[in-house]
């Protein structure tokens, strides 16, 4: 028994993973992101289907972000939807960098905030949110984002 227990002993620092489905789950995951009350780093694809399905919630989301002065730095593809998203940066407390869509073909959104990395996607038309909570994972993802941000700044300037 002790040998078996030692093989399955997990660290207290193990990642916590939560999974949500549907619009209600997507809202819950977004509320967790906002609850951190810290800058949000995001890779995203602007998805009109999700935006339409959750239109009522997004106003609440942006109001909460603005009220709590939560800034976002986002990287997205240089698509018509991405350009429209970027136009709202100032009013939505955000700075967006556009990158060529052929180099940045995203199908999901990823937020990095606090000790969380949150993935938003659709699976067979259903909204899915997955949260991984772990300091080391979040710090590593944040470092990768910073590298991507520097390169995205070059692309964004060239696209203007």
């Amino acid at each position: 028994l002790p040998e078996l227990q030692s093989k399955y002993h997990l660290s207290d620092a193990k990642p916590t993973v939560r999974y949500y489905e549907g619009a209600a789950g997507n809202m819950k995951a977004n509320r967790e992101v906002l609850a951190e009350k810290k800058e949000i780093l995001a890779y995203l694809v602007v998805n009109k289907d999700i935006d339409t399905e959750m239109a009522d919630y997004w106003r609440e989301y942006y109001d909460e972000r603005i009220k709590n002065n939560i800034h976002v730095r986002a990287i997205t593809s240089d698509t018509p939807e991405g350009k429209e998203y970027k136009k709202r940066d100032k009013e939505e407390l955000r700075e967006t960098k556009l990158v060529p869509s052929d180099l940045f073909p995203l199908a999901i959104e990823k937020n990095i905030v606090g000790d969380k990395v949150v993935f938003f996607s659709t699976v067979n038309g259903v909204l899915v949110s997955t949260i991984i909570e772990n300091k080391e994972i979040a710090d590593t993802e944040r470092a990768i984002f910073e590298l991507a941000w520097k390169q995205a700044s070059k692309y964004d300037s060239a696209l203007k």
Side-chain angles (χ1 to χ4, degrees), residues 7 21 24 52-53 64 72 77 81 89 112 128 131 145 155:
K7 286 185 179 187
E21 289 186 4
T52 300
E53 183 175 347
E64 182 75 15
V72 172
S77 299
E81 295 84 5
D89 274 3
I112 305 156
V128 174
I131 300 173
F145 180 90
Y155 285 120

Side-chain angles (χ1 to χ4, degrees), residues 86 96-100 151-160:
K86 183 175 174 131
T96 302
K97 302 290 184 186
L98 298 174
V99 297
Q151 186 62 39
S153 295
K154 295 174 187 174
Y155 285 120
D156 189 67
S157 294
L159 290 169
K160 287 181 184 174

